Amino acid sequence: MTEEGPDLVVAGAGGGLAGALRAAQLGLDVLVVEVSEHYRRGNNTSMSTAMIPGAGSRFQREAGIEDSAELFFDDIMRKTKGEADPRLARALTGVSARLVEWLADDMELPLSVVTDFHYPGHSADRCHTIEGRHGTLLLDHLVGRVKQEGRIDMLVPARLVDVRLDDEGRVCAAVIETPDGETEEIPTRAVLLATNGYGADRELVGRYLPEIAEAVYHGSEASRGDALRIGTELGAAADYLDAYQGHGALAARSSTLVGWATVMHGAVIVGQDGRRFGNETTGYSEYAAVIARQPGSTGWIVLDKRIHDACLAFTDFRQTIEGGALVWADDVDGIAARTGLPADALTEELATTATLARGEGEDRFGRTFFEAELAPPFAVVQVVPALFHTQGGLVVDEHARVTRPDGSVIDGLYASGGAAEGISGHGAAGYLAGNGLLPALGLAYLAADHLAGSSPHPTSSHEATSHEVTSEEGSA
């Protein structure tokens, strides 16, 4: 770093690392500030399934999949019933293919497009992921690239507590606090707020997300609304604060993610009465609130060996198995004996499901896809609804610049991921798979591109060796 400070301070070492890497690639000096020493296992990027949508990517073309940014945009607007911010949705769908190809080519992330099952709401297979399908693998890769990058330094643990503006309203410094309570003002011309949302602040969750406020929070404990507080204190606008990603498939016993691939491969979810209570394929986010309204705020996913084997590609699912959350039995009576579910009702429900899977009749809840009949032996896993992360935040433009209520930008202030407004509309029903990682990585990428484009002397030389510093060492 120069004596004048870094060109960019990134607050949050999750998806924001994509912005740090892109900025460094474009010749900018970057300081990444991260509040948690355990960020490689404890932030929302690491807790994801590493699904990154890329509409029109070469991976899709190689797989014979026809897709486009326009089709992806239409899917978002349909899923959100027209409520998503169209400018932001166009920006993110437009950059999505470029993002996944940059991650694969420049960052050497071994991505491939998922075709073995289809996520609800996506009209084409466009989610790209890595082997293991888990965010820890994605984040570990990005961290490894950061440590090889001479233009990036990391300050861990330390927390961004404020951003200073000069007399003309432009970012001029970032205020960092270390665990001992000491603060330091670091000169910089830009800050990227990548600290996620406010899911760990129960008061804010109760205020904005009452329908899911009593559910398990399964996200980063560092997601305390720091970006929302800093941005609004600087006069920024905020929107979609009632938006969130829920999940209806968190295993009650192991607190691991069972995964919605079970449902998309043909599993069903029943309540304590042994009966289904909705169309499971509408989406895992909105189904969290559906389960929360059931007696006991719980449900049971019923699957079989075929579905079990098909889901082994997911690290989360394997961890659920290892956690002992699945209960197996040779028949429905065995399931009833081991779980307390009523055998008669469950037998009747599975018989009805088998009929629907054969294409006979119409589902009373409107579900139109059952991949195949469930066949013994059966497995069931008890699930509880969960809040994964919030989807509302600071209003940003197509370059990820934070804006004021009048539409003007706060020069040098950017936001990405849960720190920014998302593209899921209001509530939970507008969430599409990948709507968390795409804004996290995509807005960070767009912010870096914009900042580098406005830099007077960007270069692309890579000379020094990056390192991670502790708060005791101070920033470079």
PDB file of all heavy atoms in Angstrom, residues 47-62:
ATOM      1  N   MET A  47     -21.113 -20.473   3.766  1.00  0.00           N
ATOM      2  CA  MET A  47     -22.251 -21.304   4.161  1.00  0.00           C
ATOM      3  C   MET A  47     -23.218 -21.578   3.009  1.00  0.00           C
ATOM      4  O   MET A  47     -24.242 -22.228   3.186  1.00  0.00           O
ATOM      5  CB  MET A  47     -22.990 -20.632   5.326  1.00  0.00           C
ATOM      6  CG  MET A  47     -22.114 -20.471   6.565  1.00  0.00           C
ATOM      7  SD  MET A  47     -22.869 -19.449   7.849  1.00  0.00           S
ATOM      8  CE  MET A  47     -23.979 -20.648   8.581  1.00  0.00           C
ATOM      9  N   SER A  48     -22.878 -21.082   1.830  1.00  0.00           N
ATOM     10  CA  SER A  48     -23.746 -21.253   0.670  1.00  0.00           C
ATOM     11  C   SER A  48     -23.500 -22.605   0.010  1.00  0.00           C
ATOM     12  O   SER A  48     -22.606 -23.360   0.402  1.00  0.00           O
ATOM     13  CB  SER A  48     -23.482 -20.137  -0.345  1.00  0.00           C
ATOM     14  OG  SER A  48     -22.230 -20.365  -1.012  1.00  0.00           O
ATOM     15  N   THR A  49     -24.291 -22.892  -1.040  1.00  0.00           N
ATOM     16  CA  THR A  49     -24.057 -24.088  -1.845  1.00  0.00           C
ATOM     17  C   THR A  49     -23.241 -23.763  -3.095  1.00  0.00           C
ATOM     18  O   THR A  49     -23.164 -24.581  -4.017  1.00  0.00           O
ATOM     19  CB  THR A  49     -25.383 -24.750  -2.253  1.00  0.00           C
ATOM     20  OG1 THR A  49     -26.242 -23.770  -2.844  1.00  0.00           O
ATOM     21  CG2 THR A  49     -26.076 -25.358  -1.060  1.00  0.00           C
ATOM     22  N   ALA A  50     -22.630 -22.573  -3.112  1.00  0.00           N
ATOM     23  CA  ALA A  50     -21.707 -22.166  -4.178  1.00  0.00           C
ATOM     24  C   ALA A  50     -22.357 -22.149  -5.551  1.00  0.00           C
ATOM     25  O   ALA A  50     -21.704 -22.415  -6.564  1.00  0.00           O
ATOM     26  CB  ALA A  50     -20.465 -23.057  -4.178  1.00  0.00           C
ATOM     27  N   MET A  51     -23.647 -21.828  -5.605  1.00  0.00           N
ATOM     28  CA  MET A  51     -24.361 -21.766  -6.879  1.00  0.00           C
ATOM     29  C   MET A  51     -24.337 -20.333  -7.416  1.00  0.00           C
ATOM     30  O   MET A  51     -24.879 -19.415  -6.801  1.00  0.00           O
ATOM     31  CB  MET A  51     -25.808 -22.227  -6.705  1.00  0.00           C
ATOM     32  CG  MET A  51     -25.950 -23.690  -6.321  1.00  0.00           C
ATOM     33  SD  MET A  51     -25.568 -24.775  -7.717  1.00  0.00           S
ATOM     34  CE  MET A  51     -25.589 -26.370  -6.880  1.00  0.00           C
ATOM     35  N   ILE A  52     -23.698 -20.144  -8.572  1.00  0.00           N
ATOM     36  CA  ILE A  52     -23.553 -18.815  -9.171  1.00  0.00           C
ATOM     37  C   ILE A  52     -24.249 -18.825 -10.529  1.00  0.00           C
ATOM     38  O   ILE A  52     -23.796 -19.506 -11.457  1.00  0.00           O
ATOM     39  CB  ILE A  52     -22.076 -18.442  -9.348  1.00  0.00           C
ATOM     40  CG1 ILE A  52     -21.309 -18.644  -8.041  1.00  0.00           C
ATOM     41  CG2 ILE A  52     -21.944 -16.998  -9.826  1.00  0.00           C
ATOM     42  CD1 ILE A  52     -19.810 -18.601  -8.207  1.00  0.00           C
ATOM     43  N   PRO A  53     -25.343 -18.086 -10.690  1.00  0.00           N
ATOM     44  CA  PRO A  53     -26.014 -18.062 -11.995  1.00  0.00           C
ATOM     45  C   PRO A  53     -25.174 -17.320 -13.032  1.00  0.00           C
ATOM     46  O   PRO A  53     -24.573 -16.284 -12.736  1.00  0.00           O
ATOM     47  CB  PRO A  53     -27.322 -17.306 -11.710  1.00  0.00           C
ATOM     48  CG  PRO A  53     -27.456 -17.274 -10.221  1.00  0.00           C
ATOM     49  CD  PRO A  53     -26.064 -17.299  -9.686  1.00  0.00           C
ATOM     50  N   GLY A  54     -25.143 -17.855 -14.233  1.00  0.00           N
ATOM     51  CA  GLY A  54     -24.466 -17.197 -15.352  1.00  0.00           C
ATOM     52  C   GLY A  54     -25.249 -17.454 -16.614  1.00  0.00           C
ATOM     53  O   GLY A  54     -25.186 -18.550 -17.183  1.00  0.00           O
ATOM     54  N   ALA A  55     -25.991 -16.466 -17.071  1.00  0.00           N
ATOM     55  CA  ALA A  55     -26.919 -16.649 -18.183  1.00  0.00           C
ATOM     56  C   ALA A  55     -26.223 -16.371 -19.519  1.00  0.00           C
ATOM     57  O   ALA A  55     -25.798 -15.257 -19.792  1.00  0.00           O
ATOM     58  CB  ALA A  55     -28.127 -15.721 -18.027  1.00  0.00           C
ATOM     59  N   GLY A  56     -26.097 -17.421 -20.338  1.00  0.00           N
ATOM     60  CA  GLY A  56     -25.439 -17.297 -21.628  1.00  0.00           C
ATOM     61  C   GLY A  56     -23.955 -17.604 -21.569  1.00  0.00           C
ATOM     62  O   GLY A  56     -23.196 -17.187 -22.445  1.00  0.00           O
ATOM     63  N   SER A  57     -23.523 -18.337 -20.560  1.00  0.00           N
ATOM     64  CA  SER A  57     -22.100 -18.645 -20.409  1.00  0.00           C
ATOM     65  C   SER A  57     -21.659 -19.691 -21.427  1.00  0.00           C
ATOM     66  O   SER A  57     -22.468 -20.426 -21.985  1.00  0.00           O
ATOM     67  CB  SER A  57     -21.818 -19.169 -19.002  1.00  0.00           C
ATOM     68  OG  SER A  57     -22.280 -20.509 -18.864  1.00  0.00           O
ATOM     69  N   ARG A  58     -20.359 -19.771 -21.621  1.00  0.00           N
ATOM     70  CA  ARG A  58     -19.832 -20.777 -22.546  1.00  0.00           C
ATOM     71  C   ARG A  58     -20.048 -22.189 -22.008  1.00  0.00           C
ATOM     72  O   ARG A  58     -20.162 -23.146 -22.778  1.00  0.00           O
ATOM     73  CB  ARG A  58     -18.361 -20.522 -22.835  1.00  0.00           C
ATOM     74  CG  ARG A  58     -17.409 -20.886 -21.727  1.00  0.00           C
ATOM     75  CD  ARG A  58     -15.976 -21.018 -22.297  1.00  0.00           C
ATOM     76  NE  ARG A  58     -15.071 -21.542 -21.291  1.00  0.00           N
ATOM     77  CZ  ARG A  58     -14.452 -20.812 -20.391  1.00  0.00           C
ATOM     78  NH1 ARG A  58     -14.638 -19.493 -20.376  1.00  0.00           N
ATOM     79  NH2 ARG A  58     -13.642 -21.359 -19.506  1.00  0.00           N
ATOM     80  N   PHE A  59     -20.126 -22.326 -20.672  1.00  0.00           N
ATOM     81  CA  PHE A  59     -20.401 -23.630 -20.088  1.00  0.00           C
ATOM     82  C   PHE A  59     -21.786 -24.124 -20.504  1.00  0.00           C
ATOM     83  O   PHE A  59     -21.978 -25.311 -20.759  1.00  0.00           O
ATOM     84  CB  PHE A  59     -20.296 -23.555 -18.570  1.00  0.00           C
ATOM     85  CG  PHE A  59     -18.957 -23.084 -18.078  1.00  0.00           C
ATOM     86  CD1 PHE A  59     -18.781 -21.768 -17.662  1.00  0.00           C
ATOM     87  CD2 PHE A  59     -17.868 -23.940 -18.034  1.00  0.00           C
ATOM     88  CE1 PHE A  59     -17.558 -21.323 -17.210  1.00  0.00           C
ATOM     89  CE2 PHE A  59     -16.641 -23.503 -17.579  1.00  0.00           C
ATOM     90  CZ  PHE A  59     -16.478 -22.192 -17.179  1.00  0.00           C
ATOM     91  N   GLN A  60     -22.727 -23.211 -20.552  1.00  0.00           N
ATOM     92  CA  GLN A  60     -24.064 -23.571 -21.021  1.00  0.00           C
ATOM     93  C   GLN A  60     -24.035 -23.948 -22.496  1.00  0.00           C
ATOM     94  O   GLN A  60     -24.649 -24.931 -22.904  1.00  0.00           O
ATOM     95  CB  GLN A  60     -25.032 -22.410 -20.804  1.00  0.00           C
ATOM     96  CG  GLN A  60     -25.383 -22.123 -19.356  1.00  0.00           C
ATOM     97  CD  GLN A  60     -26.303 -20.932 -19.249  1.00  0.00           C
ATOM     98  OE1 GLN A  60     -25.948 -19.817 -19.663  1.00  0.00           O
ATOM     99  NE2 GLN A  60     -27.480 -21.143 -18.704  1.00  0.00           N
ATOM    100  N   ARG A  61     -23.343 -23.142 -23.289  1.00  0.00           N
ATOM    101  CA  ARG A  61     -23.278 -23.431 -24.722  1.00  0.00           C
ATOM    102  C   ARG A  61     -22.655 -24.804 -24.973  1.00  0.00           C
ATOM    103  O   ARG A  61     -23.136 -25.573 -25.825  1.00  0.00           O
ATOM    104  CB  ARG A  61     -22.489 -22.346 -25.457  1.00  0.00           C
ATOM    105  CG  ARG A  61     -23.175 -20.987 -25.471  1.00  0.00           C
ATOM    106  CD  ARG A  61     -22.525 -20.031 -26.458  1.00  0.00           C
ATOM    107  NE  ARG A  61     -21.145 -19.716 -26.098  1.00  0.00           N
ATOM    108  CZ  ARG A  61     -20.799 -18.745 -25.270  1.00  0.00           C
ATOM    109  NH1 ARG A  61     -21.734 -18.007 -24.684  1.00  0.00           N
ATOM    110  NH2 ARG A  61     -19.527 -18.500 -25.025  1.00  0.00           N
ATOM    111  N   GLU A  62     -21.605 -25.126 -24.225  1.00  0.00           N
ATOM    112  CA  GLU A  62     -20.961 -26.433 -24.387  1.00  0.00           C
ATOM    113  C   GLU A  62     -21.897 -27.567 -23.998  1.00  0.00           C
ATOM    114  O   GLU A  62     -21.767 -28.684 -24.510  1.00  0.00           O
ATOM    115  CB  GLU A  62     -19.689 -26.477 -23.545  1.00  0.00           C
ATOM    116  CG  GLU A  62     -18.580 -25.564 -24.070  1.00  0.00           C
ATOM    117  CD  GLU A  62     -17.469 -25.365 -23.059  1.00  0.00           C
ATOM    118  OE1 GLU A  62     -17.555 -25.915 -21.934  1.00  0.00           O
ATOM    119  OE2 GLU A  62     -16.503 -24.629 -23.383  1.00  0.00           O
TER     120      GLU A  62
END
